[in-house]
Amino acid sequence: MAEGGEAERANPTISALFEEHRVFPPPPEFTVRANVRDRLLYENAERDLEGFWAEAAEGIDWFRKWDRVLEWSPPFAKWFVGGQLNAAFNCLDRHVRTWRRNKAAIIWEGEPGEQRVLTYGDLHREVSKFANVLKHLGVKNGDRVALYMPMIPELVVALLACARLGAPHTVVFGGFSPESLRGRINDAQAKVVITADGGFRRGSIVPLKQNVDEALAGCPSVENVILVRRIGEAVHMHFHEGRDHWYHRLMDEAPLQCPAEPMDAEDPLYILHTSGTTAKPKGVVHTTGGYMVGVSATHRWVFDIKDEDIFWCTADIGWVTGHSYVVYGPLANGATVFMYEGSPDWPDKSRWWEIIEKYRISILYTAPTAIRSFMGWGEQHVRKHDLSSLRLLGTVGEPINPEAWMWYQEHIGGGRCPIVDTWWQTETGMIMVSPLPGVTTTKPGSATFPLPGVRAEVVDEYGNPVPSGSGGYLVLTRPWPAMLRTIYGDPERYVSVYFSRFGPKVYFTGDGAKRDEDLYLWLLGRVDDVMNVSGHRISTIEVESALVDHKDVAEAAVIGRSHAVKGQAVAAFVTLKAGVPLSRDKADDLKTHVIEKIGALARPEEIFFTAELPKTRSGKIMRRLLRDIAEGRALGDTTTLADPTVIARLRTQYEENAES
Ligand code: WTA
């Protein structure tokens, strides 16, 4: 079956995956104390979907209660219609009225080793002041604010200050290039940019402010830049009088009180760009009410959060995982969040384990790619540390191979911690498929079942459910509160990308999946032109456009090739323009070009030069065949090729090249 084949090609390890028969029931001692102990939530959701989400919405404070839970005119959904609330109020004000005022909201450690603790009281004060700063600069309800920052507490302050005013934020990951930053700022038409003089990354300095200056050369909407001093003297930067302002200066003068703006449930909370199947990233729009209900409820259910926990989600706030499970979900729940600025191998490979021991982290949520790196580095880095505080482990971002799952469970979880493998996307806003740690029997490598209230199916290309054991497309067949509402500035793309392939009622995820005979879901990776490199979504087309933008390149085809640690690695097949000599450093030159255009995360691991690319008769490059070559597999169907000899030659050349 074509679509099954497509899905399997996305993750060739699937056959092995599917042979996995080990099962791990929830530990009874976990279940007794768990937030969710039985199947009641699933049953309630089946019985009355709206009633179920209405009950979940009781976990949020509303200024005005909603009139209707759901208005669904496919593919457009409105949740908690008529309700009013404020996301920052839910993360702060309602906690500071209780004993939680003096509870740690954020425990932070910087890469060089500094520590800061902000209680809910502290965070409430900083956010209120910073909201006044933004107001003073003319930011009002509905204005967009761009953030390009390191993982420091001020990033959380900035996010919540925007939410307090009802100004949608758009965070751009600090690893993106000035050009990517510019594209996102312009797409959102941001009025203010918040950044830092720089950030620390493996002992060196990321020149964030310099990148902002470069980006802003082409961003007419931006009026002001606010700069957090993170580095100080050690960084060179220009200060643009009139446009640039020091964060600390503005904060010195800011008044303490700033009421939280009542927002409609459907008012946008933020825009977050993600790669799609064209060169232009999509600005995914999340709104306030449904999103807050979705992330707070899933954070309670999936992570079993308790007041005494210290929750560490290792994602950068530049990605959706950081938005939903570093900031909005945990803080709405009054949890203590641990936040770390740096990377896992700096200054040495035991940094994370040292952190877990030092702060007594109880819940760790990270990506399979990190786990595979740790496996490669060896257990000795882990064994030196006492990880007995951990009680629950999570993963997200890509399929986890059973071997990595077992390693995580044994060496990090000490054999006692349940693992929640959570499947979701920027677009879904919240976790959609995951075990509930006190309820679900897990199988290594399977994300198990849709959460209560969520319905997922695996379908063939006509939208019919496939029998268990066959591959197909993963679709979501019911609306959910935290779903994206649109693509910013491009509502047609919302419909065409997500709700056309299988009709307006069925959300197409872009992922392949299988269901086994026990109905467990096994995710197989993307079936579209999106790569997943170290848990990050990168569009093949975006990298191709960066390559053809280089003066020497005539044509380029990019694929994600499976990679033992990163999940996928970017591989490029490039045809140079006639007359351009193939010099030794051409590949490096092109890699640098991609870094400059997009950012280091999109850097091709391998560039292969070829005189021709395999194309269909209508001129479409057949990436699928290139992937077969790069992964050393037998070639798939080649009948649609215009000239089958091209691919045969390419394979021989590629293999010779690999040998030499
Ligand atoms: C992949 C990250 C398998 C998937 C939250 C999805 C996963 C894309 C899992 C979204 C998982 C995420 N198992 N695959 N547990 N979680 N994915 O938007 O391909 O950065 O479509 O959101 O990551 O990536 P995004």
Side-chain angles (χ1 to χ4, degrees):
M1 193 175 64
E3 66 282 358
E6 193 181 343
E8 262 156 63
R9 260 191 308 277
N11 184 352
T13 56
I14 185 59
S15 327
L17 249 176
F18 218 47
E19 301 288 296
E20 180 58 56
H21 292 302
R22 281 170 289 198
V23 292
F24 294 85
E29 60 283 8
F30 191 99
T31 306
V32 222
R33 295 197 61 240
N35 289 347
V36 184
R37 292 172 210 179
D38 53 37
R39 306 196 46 82
L40 201 65
L41 279 182
Y42 293 98
E43 289 160 17
N44 290 347
E46 282 313 303
R47 202 170 31 244
D48 170 13
L49 185 73
E50 291 190 21
F52 169 79
W53 284 118
E55 200 175 319
E58 300 291 344
I60 287 296
D61 276 18
W62 300 82
F63 295 147
R64 181 183 186 280
K65 203 177 156 159
W66 60 89
D67 304 314
R68 292 184 58 188
V69 174
L70 171 64
E71 260 175 44
W72 179 222
S73 36
F76 303 102
K78 288 186 178 162
W79 283 87
F80 307 108
V81 184
Q84 288 194 331
L85 76 163
N86 182 285
F89 182 95
N90 273 280
C91 292
L92 303 167
D93 304 54
R94 64 170 177 163
H95 303 314
V96 300
R97 295 172 180 177
T98 70
W99 65 271
R100 288 199 184 95
R101 167 174 280 280
N102 297 319
K103 175 181 174 173
I106 298 176
I107 301 178
W108 173 84
E109 189 167 300
E111 190 184 86
E114 327 90 298
Q115 292 169 36
R116 281 168 68 187
V117 178
L118 278 88
T119 63
Y120 274 94
D122 294 331
L123 193 58
H124 177 254
R125 183 183 62 246
E126 296 302 298
V127 168
S128 302
K129 285 174 70 177
F130 193 60
N132 281 326
V133 164
L134 291 174
K135 245 192 214 171
H136 177 74
L137 292 178
V139 175
K140 19 175 231 314
N141 188 330
D143 289 341
R144 276 82 55 216
V145 175
L147 288 81
Y148 184 66
M149 294 176 74
M151 279 288 281
I152 54 177
E154 286 81 359
L155 171 51
V156 181
V157 171
L159 233 58
L160 293 176
C162 291
R164 199 166 188 83
L165 298 179
H169 49 74
T170 179
V171 183
V172 181
F173 173 61
F176 278 115
S177 67
E179 191 166 328
S180 294
L181 174 62
R182 182 188 304 147
R184 287 157 165 83
I185 291 174
N186 285 339
D187 186 57
Q189 288 291 295
K191 204 166 164 181
V192 171
V193 176
I194 307 168
T195 187
D197 53 358
F200 291 105
R201 185 79 187 160
R202 292 203 172 87
S204 53
I205 293 167
V206 187
L208 295 170
K209 171 57 165 61
Q210 204 179 305
N211 290 352
V212 167
D213 287 343
E214 246 181 80
L216 292 195
C219 296
S221 63
V222 175
E223 294 164 9
N224 290 289
V225 174
I226 304 174
L227 262 174
V228 177
R229 172 128 65 188
R230 172 73 189 115
I231 310 285
E233 304 297 309
V235 73
H236 264 307
M237 48 155 254
H238 296 286
F239 194 87
H240 294 243
E241 288 300 336
R243 186 195 75 182
D244 295 353
H245 315 268
W246 282 112
Y247 178 96
H248 56 276
R249 292 265 163 75
L250 297 172
M251 285 292 267
D252 277 350
E253 290 151 23
L256 275 174
Q257 308 291 335
C258 177
E261 232 8 67
M263 304 299 292
D264 279 337
E266 282 297 323
D267 279 339
L269 176 61
Y270 66 80
I271 302 167
L272 184 60
H273 289 88
T274 188
S275 291
T277 51
T278 70
K280 190 175 182 294
K282 301 176 282 198
V284 166
V285 176
H286 282 295
T287 57
T288 312
Y291 178 80
M292 290 305 287
V293 170
V295 297
S296 61
T298 50
H299 183 253
R300 268 193 316 273
W301 299 332
V302 175
F303 296 111
D304 189 48
I305 198 76
K306 305 275 168 46
D307 260 320
E308 51 285 16
D309 279 313
I310 301 193
F311 179 79
W312 184 15
C313 164
T314 65
D316 192 287
I317 292 174
W319 310 109
V320 75
T321 307
H323 281 64
S324 297
Y325 300 106
V326 176
V327 185
Y328 289 110
L331 297 181
N333 289 336
T336 296
V337 166
F338 176 77
M339 193 174 157
Y340 173 56
E341 180 186 30
S343 26
D345 56 350
W346 186 270
D348 60 53
K349 297 185 165 65
S350 56
R351 183 67 181 260
W352 278 20
W353 321 122
E354 190 188 303
I355 285 175
I356 290 176
E357 177 173 15
K358 178 166 158 194
Y359 296 99
R360 308 286 302 159
I361 307 287
S362 57
I363 305 171
L364 176 67
Y365 186 34
T366 192
T369 184
I371 298 167
R372 289 191 296 263
S373 299
F374 295 131
M375 284 171 76
W377 298 339
E379 289 118 61
Q380 66 277 16
H381 302 289
V382 181
R383 239 183 281 123
K384 285 189 287 193
H385 296 280
D386 173 8
L387 306 184
S388 61
S389 57
L390 287 173
R391 66 181 193 90
L392 176 61
L393 304 175
T395 71
V396 61
E398 47 175 327
I400 181 164
N401 45 315
E403 197 194 354
W405 196 102
M406 291 303 298
W407 190 90
Y408 196 30
Q409 124 109 15
E410 189 180 332
H411 296 286
I412 308 304
R416 70 183 179 276
C417 305
I419 296 183
V420 287
D421 170 2
T422 65
W423 178 90
W424 58 295
Q425 308 178 302
T426 306
E427 293 87 342
T428 68
M430 63 183 217
I431 296 172
M432 301 297 282
V433 178
S434 165
L436 292 180
V439 176
T440 314
T441 293
T442 51
K443 298 187 185 185
S446 166
T448 73
F449 307 107
L451 287 182
V454 173
R455 193 172 282 162
E457 306 272 5
V458 181
V459 300
D460 64 18
E461 58 192 301
Y462 307 106
N464 302 316
V466 299
S468 63
S470 329
Y473 301 109
L474 182 72
V475 296
L476 303 168
T477 52
R478 266 177 180 171
W480 63 98
M483 67 194 277
L484 81 163
R485 299 301 195 268
T486 190
I487 298 297
Y488 191 76
D490 197 351
E492 280 147 33
R493 201 169 172 197
Y494 167 80
V495 181
S496 68
V497 173
Y498 306 106
F499 289 101
S500 313
R501 192 151 180 175
F502 303 108
K505 289 186 181 160
V506 177
Y507 171 90
F508 176 49
T509 62
D511 277 16
K514 279 192 182 189
R515 221 165 206 166
D516 70 16
E517 63 279 13
D518 305 321
L519 298 181
Y520 281 66
L521 281 168
W522 300 80
L523 274 303
L524 309 180
R526 303 288 307 194
V527 293
D528 53 11
D529 293 326
V530 175
M531 298 174 281
N532 189 326
V533 179
S534 299
H536 299 148
R537 273 166 73 165
I538 301 169
S539 144
T540 53
I541 319 279
E542 209 179 334
V543 181
E544 284 170 8
S545 343
L547 285 167
V548 296
D549 174 79
H550 189 281
K551 62 179 184 354
D552 295 341
V553 175
E555 209 170 20
V558 167
I559 53 151
R561 173 172 63 76
S562 36
H563 185 279
V565 174
K566 298 177 172 180
Q568 285 188 313
V570 181
F573 292 77
V574 169
T575 308
L576 293 176
K577 284 187 182 151
V580 175
L582 184 55
S583 62
R584 193 178 280 263
D585 38 6
K586 188 57 71 195
D588 289 339
D589 184 18
L590 296 186
K591 288 178 188 177
T592 310
H593 192 70
V594 173
I595 296 174
E596 279 166 11
K597 297 291 287 185
I598 305 175
L601 71 170
R603 180 180 152 274
E605 181 105 352
E606 144 183 303
I607 293 187
F608 185 76
F609 294 98
T610 171
E612 304 152 289
L613 288 166
K615 289 188 191 152
T616 60
R617 279 179 277 271
S618 56
K620 210 174 154 233
I621 297 174
M622 291 197 71
R623 291 195 193 76
R624 173 169 70 72
L625 297 176
L626 295 174
R627 203 151 60 197
D628 289 340
I629 292 186
E631 293 176 350
R633 262 193 312 277
L635 292 178
D637 186 3
T638 55
T639 47
T640 53
L641 283 176
D643 176 3
T645 62
V646 170
I647 193 83
R649 266 199 306 279
L650 193 58
R651 153 154 269 168
T652 319
Q653 273 175 24
Y654 188 88
E655 283 165 1
E656 277 167 9
N657 201 278
E659 280 158 22
S660 62

